[in-house]
Structures are given as C-alpha cells and as structure tokens.
Amino acid sequence: MNLTQIKGTEKPAAPKYWRSLAERTGTSDVIARLEGEFGSQVEELSPASRRQIMKLMAASFGMAGMVACRRPEEKILPVSKAVEDIVPGKPTFYASAITVRGVANGVQVEVHDGRPTKIEGNPMHPASQGAASAFVQASVLSLYDPDRARKVEHAGGPVEWAAFDKECADHCSKMGIGTGFRILSERTTSPTLLGLKAALLKKYPSAKWVEYDAIDAGHGLAAAEMVFGERLQAHYHFDKADVILSLDDDFLSLDAASTLPLKHYSRKRKVSNPGDAMNRLYVVESQFSVTGGMADHRLRMRTAEVGQFASDLAVELGASQALKVLKSGDATQKWIAAVARDLKAHAGKCVVTAGVKQPAAVHAIAYQINQALGNIGTTVTFTKPVYEASTPLAEFATELSQGRVTTLLILGGNPAFTAPVDLNFVEGIRKVGNSYYLGLESDETAALCKWHLPMAHELETWGDARSLDGTASIQQPMVRPIWSGRSAIEIVAQFASEDHKPKKGYEVVRAQWKDLDEKAWRKALHDGVVAGTAFAEAKVTLNAKAVPTITASPADGYEVVFLE
C-alpha cells in the first residue's frame, strides 16, 4: 500500500495519533501487538467483595514495609544554632606570635572558616606595632606546604605515633643520668621550652643542650660581655636619633628580628611641620641592601674592612687611642672625617650600629663610640638577653665525630644542611645509635636520623616566645595539626616527664604561666602580650681597655658573604 491509497481511506473524524505507517493503516498483526501490550490475556478481576479489597491492601502495605526495612532509620537534623563567633565567609582574627630567629613577632592572624589565611602585625605588641615582615607574612604558606612531613618515620618507613611513644618510654628508662645524651635546637626565647630545658637537664645531669642557627646573631652579646662584663642585649632607638651610622647593618630588613627598627626609623623620616627635620643615615656596606638603598650617604666597602673603618672612626672621634691605618689623603678617610663631624654635632642624639655579619670586635667598637658620644642611656639602651648561653657547635661536632654521643634529639633547623661543612656534621650524625629529628619537612637531617617526627607549625600549636625587650607573648593555635604533628614543647615535655607519655601543648604552656589567673590568661591571649614581662633597663659601664684592636685586613683576594 502506498501513501496515495492511505490518504484515500481517510474519513473526517476526531484527531487520532499513530506511531508508524503500519499502525496508521490498521494492519492486523500490528493491532494484535498493541492489544497485548498491557497483558490482555490476563483475566479481569471479578467484582470483589470488601473483604478481598482489604486483604489486597493489607498485603500491599506489608510488602512495602518489608522493602522499607533494608536499613535502620536515622534522622538528620539541620544546625539549629550557629557555631559561636563564626559566620560563614566572615573572617575572625586572633592574636598570636611568629618567631624569627627565636624572637617573638606579635601578629594578628586572619582565619576564614577555621583556616588561617593572612598574617599582619599586632598593633598592641611593642615589637611589631601593627607591622609584619615578609618572613612573618610568608609563614602562613609553610602551613599548607605540600612537602611537609606527614608521617612518623622509623628506619625509612612510616609508623604510628604510638610506636615512637613506646620507643621514648623504653629508651628513656635506660638512659640513667643521660650520659651521651645531647639535644640540638634552634635559638629559642620560649619561657616554656627554656623551663623544660632546665627540667630535662636536671633529670639527666650528664646531658647537654646545644643551640645553633645558621645566621649567628650572638656577636653583639659576646661584645657586651667583652666590654661590659656581662651578656647584654643592645636596643637602638632610631626614633630618637638625628644621625645614624650603620656599619654593615641592614637593620631595615634582613638583619632585624622584627619590624620595630623600621617603624622607629620611619618616624624620623616624616615631616609634619615646616620646622621638622628628617634624620640622616650613613651606611657602610659591601652589598646593596634595603638600608643602603634608604641611605643619604653610602660607602661601599668589603665586609672584612668594616672593622678597620670602625676603628679609624673611633680614633677620629677621640673614643680610642688605637693607631690609624688609613692615610689622611685616602677618600675613605675624608668620608670618616665628615661622618665624625656630623656625629659630634649630634652627640646624645645619634646611633652607631653594627650588623650581625660583623664579628664581636666590631660590635665592641660600636659600643665604645656610642659611649664616647653620650648615646648610651638615650638612643642606645641595654637589657638582659632573651637568649641563653649555649655550648659551641664546634665542640658538639667534636663529640659527634668521636662517637661520644649515643642519643641525639634534634629540634628543627636542618643542621645537616646548614652546619659548616668543615665540622663534618653528616658523618657525625651517622655514628649516633639513637637519633630523633623533629622537623617540618623530610630534609637532609631527616634522611640521616633513625626517627623522623613531623613538627607542628606555629599556627597549629600552643607555645610562647619573647621579643628582644623581654615582652612575652602566648602562641595559640589557629587550626588543629593538619598532619598530626607535635611541637618541640610537647616532645621535650615527653622526654622530661616521669612517665614519658605524650603531653598536650596547652597543658604544658598553661603550667608555665600558672601565676596568671584565668582573667589575666584570657587577656594575654586576647592582647597577644603578657603584661609586665618586659625586662628592665640595665646600667652599664664600659671598660675601654677591653675593646680589641683591629689590624688592617688584606686588600686583595675574594670575599664571600652569606646572607639569610
């Protein structure tokens, strides 16, 4: 049948719908399939009684109930009350501290939905005054570093913390008085960790605790002990100085442990009234630094020659009776004469400072110059140091090489990479029978030690630290440890305790500050500062005879300067 024939059979009627040409023409086999689609062969139910209908309905409900019993009923409820102080998408801010070379920098941490995202300075902290250095701001990146250590490792393989806890308890019970036990850590100012250090050394009287940083910031302390008779921390008040001389000191950037020198210096660079005068900055340095870039007058000089420059300046100022090495016609001598005149004209309102790369002798000469100019007590003050004295690293390396160290606990710092190569530190660690390393990453030191313990980040754990003036800050966690790390405080507390079981950081820190009642404790957490903890100013008397004499350095050859 063709389309013409189909069209001829049409009759006017109500619209009918079809799915194929065969259905449209009404072919018999197609009609048969359509009628059997819904089971036409099934007999229709006879008129049913009320009893039959109820039986069928009961059976249906029963079958439905059996299907619904596949799993137990568990009700879920929406959050009827919001989490306290948290609004989704709205940041919260907490006061804490981030350490640079062990020194506290007061910070405010911005937290989004329980995750720290941004760090700025704490305006209530005397060392930061609302500012944060690049190192402090970048510390939040190391929290989310994908290369962080994630598991406890023993002999190169992952284990659980329980395995280390058992090892710690078993090994500590056999150490006796701690013969051959050494602890190596970075420089620290933490009152809690220093208290644990004292407790550990009391428990193991034959043990030794060594502190080491790749950049040694202790030359100023050694110089103070040389000329004042005791280790003292110098504080330079650049906001009170009209003239500043920097002897290879990048105090505006790399050589500063906090942003306080930058805040002080910038105050004297702002002119608010027509009669105001800016300070004047002289810089003597070998490489171009941030401080050198801000200098009004800059003299380029080898790092090894800065000491002789300082000695000649002291002679020019009449502060020293040493013999001048530079000739009167030397261009550097003319520069010294001009600086000396300016310093004398602003006696009592000037500062001479030496950098961390300079040896103790140069710092001693800087103290002598400040004494002669009447700066000590005004623009230069001293307090007791926040760092404790430590065994020299070279002495410790000798013990390692001789095999006298049987148990070694390393608290951060990666000394296998940063220690001087001539100390042969790598081979020394390999000789230690029981070595434990607490570190953020699986680095060179982790590869050498028998045990590698993941360290908790400063934003993940409780702690404390002091700024250079002694002001203490409580370090509070912003988030639980992402990779179940532990802090140096927790590890040392475990070694120093009687049962050698894991300790909670909060309990250890709170015990250190037990003299604070709950109100004072909460205020310290809120403000980021423990009130009344700054050190008092020390009165000093300089011994001029103890100031060393610096001989001229060779003018030829290469010089290598390491920067942080």
Side-chain angles (χ1 to χ4, degrees), residues 5-287:
Q5 293 173 329
I6 293 173
K7 185 176 180 180
T9 61
E10 292 179 350
K11 294 180 180 181
K16 294 184 178 180
Y17 302 97
W18 41 272
R19 290 174 290 184
S20 66
L21 293 176
E23 183 181 348
R24 177 69 179 83
T25 58
T27 307
S28 58
D29 60 338
V30 175
I31 297 301
R33 286 199 306 270
L34 291 176
E35 290 178 352
E37 182 176 1
F38 296 103
S40 59
Q41 70 275 13
V42 180
E43 297 181 358
E44 294 183 358
L45 291 173
S46 59
S49 64
R50 186 171 182 272
R51 178 183 292 273
Q52 288 177 312
I53 293 175
M54 293 299 293
K55 287 166 68 175
L56 290 173
M57 290 179 64
S60 300
F61 282 119
M63 296 296 291
M66 291 179 65
V67 173
C69 291
R70 289 178 300 173
R71 63 182 65 181
E73 180 181 355
E74 296 178 353
K75 296 181 180 180
I76 60 173
L77 298 175
V79 177
S80 58
K81 293 183 179 180
V83 179
E84 184 180 2
D85 298 330
I86 293 182
V87 178
K90 183 178 180 180
T92 52
F93 298 85
Y94 299 90
S96 189
I98 298 294
T99 58
V100 177
R101 300 185 199 136
V103 176
N105 286 254
V107 297
Q108 281 189 346
V109 185
E110 181 176 344
V111 179
H112 285 83
D113 300 331
R115 293 291 184 270
T117 55
K118 187 72 170 67
I119 294 178
E120 290 293 348
N122 181 2
M124 302 181 70
H125 197 281
S128 59
Q129 299 185 5
S133 68
F135 294 106
V136 171
Q137 294 191 42
S139 63
V140 73
L141 301 178
S142 59
L143 173 66
Y144 303 108
D145 187 354
D147 292 330
R148 281 185 61 184
R150 306 186 180 191
K151 279 280 190 179
V152 179
E153 293 187 4
H154 174 54
V159 296
E160 299 299 325
W161 274 106
F164 167 75
D165 296 336
K166 184 178 184 303
E167 161 69 15
C168 179
D170 293 344
H171 186 69
C172 289
S173 63
K174 302 174 184 177
M175 283 201 300
I177 61 173
T179 303
F181 182 28
R182 300 292 182 268
I183 304 94
L184 177 62
S185 73
E186 298 176 286
R187 291 278 186 180
T188 181
T189 63
S190 167
T192 300
L193 189 56
L194 292 176
L196 291 171
K197 172 184 174 181
L200 185 71
L201 296 179
K202 182 178 180 181
K203 182 178 180 63
Y204 305 106
S206 294
K208 291 183 181 179
W209 187 301
V210 182
E211 294 185 3
Y212 166 73
D213 277 330
I215 303 297
D216 186 3
H219 297 308
L221 300 178
E225 187 173 17
M226 186 187 305
V227 298
F228 298 127
E230 58 180 325
R231 298 171 71 251
L232 294 171
Q233 177 66 53
H235 303 277
Y236 300 98
H237 304 274
F238 298 107
D239 56 334
K240 300 178 181 179
D242 294 330
V243 177
I244 303 168
L245 171 61
S246 166
L247 299 174
D248 200 24
D249 184 11
D250 188 15
F251 64 86
L252 296 180
S253 184
L254 295 180
D255 288 355
S258 70
T259 56
L260 184 61
L262 178 60
K263 298 285 287 187
H264 281 178
Y265 172 79
S266 61
R267 290 175 190 169
K268 295 287 286 186
R269 300 296 283 189
K270 295 178 181 178
V271 177
S272 302
N273 301 308
D276 293 346
M278 292 193 302
N279 58 16
R280 191 157 42 256
L281 175 60
Y282 297 88
V283 174
V284 180
E285 62 182 5
S286 59
Q287 80 288 336

Side-chain angles (χ1 to χ4, degrees), residues 122 124-126 191 463-466 470-475 509 513 515-516 520-521 523-535:
N122 181 2
M124 302 181 70
H125 197 281
D464 53 10
R466 293 186 185 272
T471 301
S473 298
I474 305 298
Q475 188 182 82
V509 175
W513 296 98
D515 292 339
L516 296 179
W521 170 257
K523 180 174 175 58
L525 295 180
H526 175 271
D527 297 347
V529 175
V530 181
T533 53
F535 295 155

Side-chain angles (χ1 to χ4, degrees), residues 322-376:
L323 181 65
K324 276 190 181 181
V325 175
L326 296 176
K327 298 179 180 179
S328 58
D330 196 306
T332 303
Q333 179 60 41
K334 295 179 181 179
W335 212 86
I336 289 176
V339 173
R341 286 194 299 270
D342 207 358
L343 291 173
K344 284 182 178 180
H346 296 86
K349 294 183 178 181
C350 57
V351 166
V352 178
T353 174
V356 296
K357 297 183 291 296
Q358 291 298 319
V362 179
H363 286 262
I365 295 174
Y367 296 156
Q368 184 183 37
I369 294 174
N370 283 306
Q371 174 73 27
L373 292 170
N375 297 333
I376 293 181

Side-chain angles (χ1 to χ4, degrees), residues 266-481:
S266 61
R267 290 175 190 169
K268 295 287 286 186
R269 300 296 283 189
K270 295 178 181 178
V271 177
S272 302
N273 301 308
D276 293 346
M278 292 193 302
N279 58 16
R280 191 157 42 256
L281 175 60
Y282 297 88
V283 174
V284 180
E285 62 182 5
S286 59
Q287 80 288 336
F288 205 65
S289 66
V290 173
T291 306
M294 292 295 295
D296 299 292
H297 306 279
R298 176 179 180 271
L299 178 64
R300 187 178 65 178
M301 179 178 290
R302 296 174 65 215
T303 300
E305 296 175 349
V306 173
Q308 186 58 58
F309 176 94
S311 180
D312 288 349
L313 177 63
V315 174
E316 185 74 21
L317 290 168
S320 172
Q321 302 300 319
L323 181 65
K324 276 190 181 181
V325 175
L326 296 176
K327 298 179 180 179
S328 58
D330 196 306
T332 303
Q333 179 60 41
K334 295 179 181 179
W335 212 86
I336 289 176
V339 173
R341 286 194 299 270
D342 207 358
L343 291 173
K344 284 182 178 180
H346 296 86
K349 294 183 178 181
C350 57
V351 166
V352 178
T353 174
V356 296
K357 297 183 291 296
Q358 291 298 319
V362 179
H363 286 262
I365 295 174
Y367 296 156
Q368 184 183 37
I369 294 174
N370 283 306
Q371 174 73 27
L373 292 170
N375 297 333
I376 293 181
T378 55
T379 58
V380 182
T381 57
F382 293 88
T383 62
K384 70 177 184 180
V386 291
Y387 296 121
E388 289 190 352
S390 173
T391 302
L393 186 67
E395 179 181 329
F396 170 63
T398 301
E399 292 183 334
L400 278 177
S401 62
Q402 294 175 353
R404 289 188 284 161
V405 180
T406 57
T407 302
L408 176 60
L409 174 61
I410 303 177
L411 305 174
N414 192 15
F417 179 76
T418 60
V421 67
D422 56 343
L423 296 182
N424 205 12
F425 207 79
V426 172
E427 292 301 323
I429 293 180
R430 289 198 177 106
K431 295 180 180 180
V432 179
N434 300 279
S435 53
Y436 310 88
Y437 173 55
L438 179 70
L440 280 173
E441 300 176 354
S442 296
D443 48 32
E444 292 81 359
T445 305
L448 294 172
C449 292
K450 304 294 189 301
W451 288 83
H452 177 209
L453 314 175
M455 175 184 277
H457 194 275
E458 288 184 311
L459 296 174
E460 296 176 329
T461 184
W462 288 93
D464 53 10
R466 293 186 185 272
S467 57
L468 286 178
D469 68 346
T471 301
S473 298
I474 305 298
Q475 188 182 82
Q476 53 181 331
M478 305 295 115
V479 62
R480 291 179 64 89

